[in-house]
Amino acid sequence: MLSVYAQQTMVDTLPIGACVFMGPDHVVSAANGQMLSLWHKTEVIIGKALREAVPEILRGNFLELLQGVYERGETCREPDSEVKVVIGGERRRIYFDFSFKPLRDKDGHIYGIVHTAVETTDRVLALQELSALNEEMEASSEEVRATNEELLETQEHLERALAETAEAEERFRLATEAADVGTYDINLQTQAVVTSEQLANIFGLSGLVPSEMYVKAFHPDDLEKRQLAHQQALVTGRLFYEARIFRTDGALRWIRASGKVRYDAAGRPLRLLGTLMDITEQVSAKETERKLKTLADNSADLMSILDLNGVNSYINEAGKQLLGFESDEAVRTTPIADLHTPEDFEQVRREVLPGVMTTGKWVGIMNVRHLNTGEVFPVLNYTIRIDDPVSGQPLAVGAIMRDLRPELAAKKALADSEQLLRSVTSAAPTALWRTDAEGKLTYVNETWLSWTGRPLEAHLGRGWLQAVHPEDRQQVEDAFFSALPARSAFEVEFRMPPVSGEIRWYLNSGQPQLDSEGHFTGYVGACIDITAQKNLQQHKDDFISIASHELKTPVTSLKAALQLIDRLKDKPDPAMLSKLIIQSRKSAERVSSLIDDLLHVGRLQQKQMALNLSGFVLSQLLSNAAQPIGLSTGKHIRVQGALDLEIRADEQRIDQVITNFLTNAAKYAPNADRIDVTVTHDEQYARVSVTDYGPGIPADQLARLFERYYRVQEHTKTISGLGLGLYICKEIIERHGGQVGAESELGKGSSFWFTLPLRPVVI
Ligand code: ADP
């Protein structure tokens, strides 16, 4: 058993309120200063039974509790018991951890009780603050909830821990550290700040740091915000703000501070207690989410998220427009089957979704259907499975779809234009070709292939040269290969043996091609068929020599006649003179007729031929024209048929036509002695035919007789002529609205005819 002295010494040394009660009457045998002041007593009470010494504490069940300890040896604790006290006239609540322990002698008999009282007011208030803060944080933001829960949990831990130990502050500090939350306690009277280590760490600091250091860390733009929040807190009692700080390592971080002001009884703010946490990750996650949403909403492609229950939880703006969704509600309530035709949805059901779920993605082209217009169109669909990063379980299906209509339309337009270009180049009577920079042919169009009758492969590289006539090949090679090193344009004419028919002439020209940087890339060229021009040129050359010859003959004859006449002027011979005059006149007429023909052709080419219509008896005109020809050629010309038929035409021109027909009949049937001219008519037309009984004309040349300069091949060497007469006749007759033609049988003769309308339309 401890002596009373020992008891008093022990209780005096304890840092807590302590006293010892002895015996069944609970005599206060020892009590330290703290306990006495708690009771508001002095040492006078030592030695007195409790009921006398401190009767006021025996209210309630205190006595029962002491008896339980004394009689049954139960150790008893009453944590955080509230005691209402009046200090300096002010009512206050303070809290204690009370404990009661039996004192036993060496035989184990109870002889007294040790009673201790540890004040826990600060701890309890801190817990109350924490609880209030938790509520506040809960209310203030969704994100803090998790932290609050942790804090609540921590608090429970803390409370449990406190029940076992008195190291509440330390535990609290550990708990807030574990929750990554810094705590602070600002004395609003002195502005002294006490922070947890964790709070210092958030700022990149450690240990006890003067409050200015914290203030300095704030982003200049957020300093005012912080200041305001603190000022408001003094009024509202609550502090809440989010701001940016620069950590000591220079990193910019976001923090969220919450706190509560504690006031004294007079309503003066005493302390500001609160928490501060680093919310940079949350802010940047939110920021990233916001950016991603902006990105998705501005994407030209559809982006959607399909939840595993088959409901679209998100479709971006482009997607809504593409598919015709009118609201977010419609997105969530429209079954995805409505976005496809039944057949296309089968593909989604059987192929797309199983593909995504098993392999993680499906990429391909599929059809979708517009909700309003019902238009079905193709999209390129890139679908992926979105998994939970922690559990790996599928969460949703994400899809990115691109409308393929513009691409298909562009492709079609390109294909159409390529087709058009191909058709145009194939239809063009021009061969088009291209070479590379070494002068090797890389492309030639259909026209060239049809001219040469060889396939494309035969022409590639230098193969095309083989299509050129062997006699012209060297010349073509020289033209091309001398231009190539100089990269200059070239032009060359050549012949090609045709697939069928006659040899034809071509003009080939090439232009050097340069790319955008001025590098030579090869030649592009065109080749045209110039056979017609060549023939025309040939005709013209022939014509000039023939015309000169034709003119020279009568002029020579005229000159000769005139020379003879000149010689006869001294000894005139009338018979001879008359002959020479006839010859001169004939020659002059021939020259005049040739010049007439040439002038006619010139006028016809300029389409200048005015008709001077008058009515006359056709056979009359024919007979008048036949007479001199018959006389000069010795042919018997018979005019027969509708001798009374009157027509209306340009008499002089018709005379020119019949004269040409009769002259030809005499000229090309030199051995026949007769020519028949027959007039017939029907309701509309008069028809005149001139038949000779000469050698006739080969059938294959008949059709060309009325062409300009055309002459039957057999005649070109033997009988002089310009090949213009029939051409002029045809133009005259057609100008009247009639037609011309020729029939012939070799060895029997030829018949040239023309028709004239009986009632000509005045043109
Ligand atoms: P030209 O008589 O000056 O050659 P034409 O135009 O009058 O010119 O006749 C064209 C060609 O038609 C003649 O060159 C000739 O070959 C052929 N021709 C015209 N009339 C006859 C005919 N009656 N018999 C045979 N060939 C004819």
Side-chain angles (χ1 to χ4, degrees):
M1 192 201 288
L2 285 173
S3 69
V4 169
Y5 172 75
Q7 288 172 12
Q8 188 60 49
T9 312
M10 184 191 81
V11 297
D12 278 346
T13 56
L14 284 172
I16 53 177
C19 66
V20 177
F21 302 128
M22 296 287 280
D25 291 334
H26 312 304
V27 174
V28 181
S29 64
N32 69 359
Q34 287 94 316
M35 189 58 102
L36 288 173
S37 70
L38 176 65
W39 288 337
H40 301 292
K41 303 287 175 193
T42 61
E43 285 171 359
V44 208
I45 62 157
I46 307 275
K48 289 187 181 160
L50 191 58
R51 97 175 69 82
E52 276 175 56
V54 202
E56 52 273 37
I57 65 167
L58 293 178
R59 267 178 259 133
N61 59 356
F62 194 72
L63 200 57
E64 267 171 48
L65 185 147
L66 289 179
Q67 274 164 359
V69 178
Y70 189 80
E71 283 161 21
R72 293 187 293 281
E74 292 161 351
T75 295
C76 181
R77 280 196 67 193
E78 292 230 318
D80 296 338
S81 300
E82 186 184 303
V83 177
K84 291 188 181 108
V85 291
V86 178
I87 300 169
E90 184 185 317
R91 290 173 70 83
R92 282 182 59 185
R93 287 175 184 183
I94 50 178
Y95 297 87
F96 291 93
D97 252 0
F98 291 127
S99 91
F100 304 88
K101 255 182 157 180
L103 280 170
R104 293 173 196 270
D105 61 19
K106 60 181 184 308
D107 301 326
H109 295 126
I110 298 168
Y111 66 88
I113 297 169
V114 177
H115 168 43
T116 58
V118 180
E119 190 186 341
T120 58
T121 307
D122 282 350
R123 172 168 61 90
V124 170
L125 287 179
L127 278 172
Q128 283 175 355
E129 289 296 337
L130 189 61
S131 160
L133 280 176
N134 278 342
E135 278 168 31
E136 193 177 301
M137 283 160 82
E138 176 106 34
S140 66
S141 105
E142 197 52 32
E143 289 95 323
V144 184
R145 179 167 292 159
T147 314
N148 276 343
E149 276 168 16
E150 274 180 52
L151 282 174
L152 280 170
E153 229 179 281
T154 313
Q155 187 183 337
E156 275 169 29
H157 279 292
L158 190 62
E159 281 171 358
R160 252 180 272 130
L162 284 173
E164 291 159 13
T165 85
E167 296 172 337
E169 295 293 334
E170 181 64 4
R171 288 295 171 110
F172 177 70
R173 191 179 64 75
L174 288 174
T176 51
E177 257 174 36
D180 265 351
V181 176
T183 57
Y184 60 84
D185 182 350
I186 304 173
N187 184 325
L188 295 171
Q189 309 293 316
T190 64
Q191 293 304 318
V193 178
V194 179
T195 65
S196 67
E197 187 65 22
Q198 183 61 20
L199 187 137
N201 290 348
I202 290 173
F203 284 74
L205 301 163
S206 67
L208 267 178
V209 182
S211 60
E212 309 88 68
M213 288 282 279
Y214 291 116
V215 180
K216 254 196 227 157
F218 277 82
H219 190 292
D221 293 349
D222 292 351
L223 262 177
E224 198 181 327
K225 188 191 207 179
R226 176 192 172 276
Q227 184 79 22
L228 266 174
H230 275 268
Q231 280 170 7
Q232 270 180 350
L234 296 181
V235 182
T236 63
R238 288 176 189 274
L239 177 86
F240 183 84
Y241 67 90
E242 290 176 354
R244 288 160 295 173
I245 59 158
F246 288 108
R247 273 182 11 179
T248 48
D249 61 6
L252 182 78
R253 310 289 295 177
W254 274 93
I255 55 109
R256 175 183 294 142
S258 348
K260 202 172 172 191
V261 179
R262 287 183 57 199
Y263 302 88
D264 63 14
R268 278 191 308 263
L270 283 180
R271 294 161 74 189
L272 175 59
L273 289 154
T275 57
L276 185 142
M277 59 195 286
D278 186 326
I279 55 162
T280 312
E281 309 304 327
Q282 293 162 35
V283 169
S284 73
K286 261 205 159 147
E287 182 78 350
T288 308
E289 190 186 318
R290 199 180 58 73
K291 285 180 190 159
L292 281 174
K293 192 168 176 315
T294 310
L295 193 67
D297 278 341
N298 287 289
S299 158
D301 293 335
L302 170 149
M303 292 185 182
S304 69
I305 291 178
L306 178 71
D307 291 345
L308 293 187
N309 57 8
V311 172
N312 270 317
S313 57
Y314 171 77
I315 290 187
N316 67 349
E317 286 308 316
K320 283 185 207 157
Q321 277 190 11
L322 187 73
L323 298 174
F325 284 111
E326 272 158 11
S327 65
D328 288 335
E329 178 64 14
V331 170
R332 282 188 295 273
T333 52
T334 307
I336 58 167
D338 288 6
L339 301 170
H340 308 271
T341 61
E343 307 81 65
D344 291 331
F345 188 60
E346 260 318 279
Q347 185 196 11
V348 176
R349 228 169 50 80
R350 284 171 183 271
E351 194 189 314
V352 183
L353 292 176
V356 174
M357 295 318 279
T358 51
T359 65
K361 72 174 178 186
W362 186 90
V363 182
I365 292 174
M366 59 184 251
N367 283 333
V368 291
R369 183 169 60 182
H370 192 278
L371 287 168
N372 298 334
T373 64
E375 186 190 353
V376 176
F377 55 93
V379 291
L380 175 66
N381 184 9
Y382 192 98
T383 310
I384 49 155
R385 192 183 65 206
I386 301 171
D387 294 339
D388 184 318
V390 179
S391 68
Q393 288 299 306
L395 288 178
V397 172
I400 300 171
M401 293 185 198
R402 170 159 299 176
D403 183 355
L404 287 180
R405 283 172 298 182
E407 204 172 304
L408 292 179
K411 266 191 187 160
K412 187 172 178 307
L414 187 65
D416 287 352
S417 73
E418 273 175 5
Q419 178 60 39
L420 181 68
L421 189 67
R422 215 172 295 131
S423 311
V424 167
T425 60
S426 306
T430 309
L432 301 172
W433 53 268
R434 190 170 58 208
T435 75
D436 61 15
E438 290 165 14
K440 291 188 186 143
L441 190 96
T442 53
Y443 166 80
V444 71
N445 71 348
E446 276 293 322
T447 309
W448 177 265
L449 304 183
S450 69
W451 285 349
T452 58
R454 298 172 193 219
L456 176 67
E457 301 74 56
H459 300 289
L460 298 178
R462 302 272 149 86
W464 61 276
L465 272 166
Q466 296 308 310
V468 176
H469 194 290
E471 286 176 21
D472 297 344
R473 205 171 288 154
Q474 191 59 48
Q475 179 200 337
V476 174
E477 272 192 70
D478 290 350
F480 182 56
F481 292 108
S482 63
L484 182 63
R487 287 151 190 191
S488 55
F490 71 91
E491 205 170 76
V492 63
E493 285 182 10
F494 59 88
R495 289 164 295 169
M496 278 206 293
V499 179
S500 65
E502 55 181 338
I503 284 183
R504 298 192 73 82
W505 277 93
Y506 297 91
L507 172 68
N508 192 12
S509 51
Q511 288 292 333
Q513 297 298 303
L514 304 178
D515 64 17
S516 55
E517 285 164 9
H519 300 127
F520 173 70
T521 56
Y523 278 93
V524 165
C527 184
I528 52 170
D529 185 330
I530 54 164
T531 313
Q533 287 98 306
K534 275 274 175 195
N535 288 346
L536 194 62
Q537 188 61 44
Q538 189 61 47
H539 273 308
K540 275 193 173 160
D541 294 348
D542 292 351
F543 173 75
I544 287 167
S545 66
I546 294 167
S548 323
H549 177 77
E550 288 289 306
L551 284 167
K552 208 172 167 193
T553 311
V555 169
T556 311
S557 154
L558 181 62
K559 264 165 79 183
L562 288 173
Q563 270 173 9
L564 284 174
I565 291 171
D566 190 38
R567 274 191 221 149
L568 283 176
K569 70 175 185 269
D570 298 332
K571 36 176 181 168
D573 173 347
M576 186 61 161
L577 211 55
S578 150
K579 244 175 127 183
L580 287 172
I581 289 170
I582 289 171
Q583 185 187 327
S584 302
R585 198 176 58 231
K586 269 190 179 173
S587 298
E589 274 168 5
R590 179 73 191 132
V591 171
S592 156
S593 138
L594 281 169
I595 289 170
D596 273 355
D597 276 1
L598 290 172
L599 285 173
H600 256 107
V601 173
R603 270 191 223 123
L604 287 178
Q605 270 185 302
Q606 291 162 25
K607 303 272 175 217
Q608 296 172 343
M609 193 199 331
L611 296 181
N612 190 7
L613 299 186
S614 62
F616 55 92
V617 176
L618 185 54
S619 64
Q620 199 65 59
L621 174 93
L622 300 175
S623 301
N624 291 345
Q627 203 182 21
I629 295 168
L631 274 176
S632 64
T633 60
K635 309 275 182 193
H636 176 64
I637 302 172
R638 190 168 56 162
V639 178
Q640 57 193 5
L643 297 181
D644 298 333
L645 185 67
E646 253 191 65
I647 59 158
R648 203 177 148 70
D650 185 326
E651 198 172 353
Q652 211 182 330
R653 301 259 186 230
I654 302 303
D655 178 66
Q656 193 180 343
V657 173
I658 195 69
T659 303
N660 201 77
F661 278 22
L662 288 170
T663 316
N664 280 353
K667 189 160 113 185
Y668 296 106
N671 300 324
D673 55 0
R674 84 170 223 260
I675 297 168
D676 287 333
V677 179
T678 309
V679 183
T680 55
H681 72 95
D682 59 14
E683 298 250 307
Q684 290 177 307
Y685 291 94
R687 187 178 195 273
V688 177
S689 65
V690 176
T691 306
D692 66 63
Y693 300 92
I697 304 160
D700 59 333
Q701 297 188 50
L702 269 180
R704 301 193 60 187
L705 293 180
F706 294 90
E707 284 176 20
R708 196 161 33 142
Y709 310 124
Y710 192 83
R711 305 196 67 219
V712 173
Q713 275 158 25
E714 287 75 11
H715 299 151
T716 51
K717 301 266 159 46
T718 54
I719 304 170
S720 68
L722 291 177
L724 288 175
L726 290 182
Y727 165 71
I728 295 167
C729 293
K730 178 172 180 268
E731 292 292 324
I732 291 171
I733 296 300
E734 285 181 353
R735 187 87 179 85
H736 277 85
Q739 287 184 325
V740 291
E743 286 136 21
S744 183
E745 205 174 326
L746 283 178
K748 291 205 168 165
S750 310
S751 185
F752 285 77
W753 57 263
F754 66 85
T755 61
L756 285 170
L758 294 175
R759 283 168 291 278
V761 180
V762 182
I763 308 160

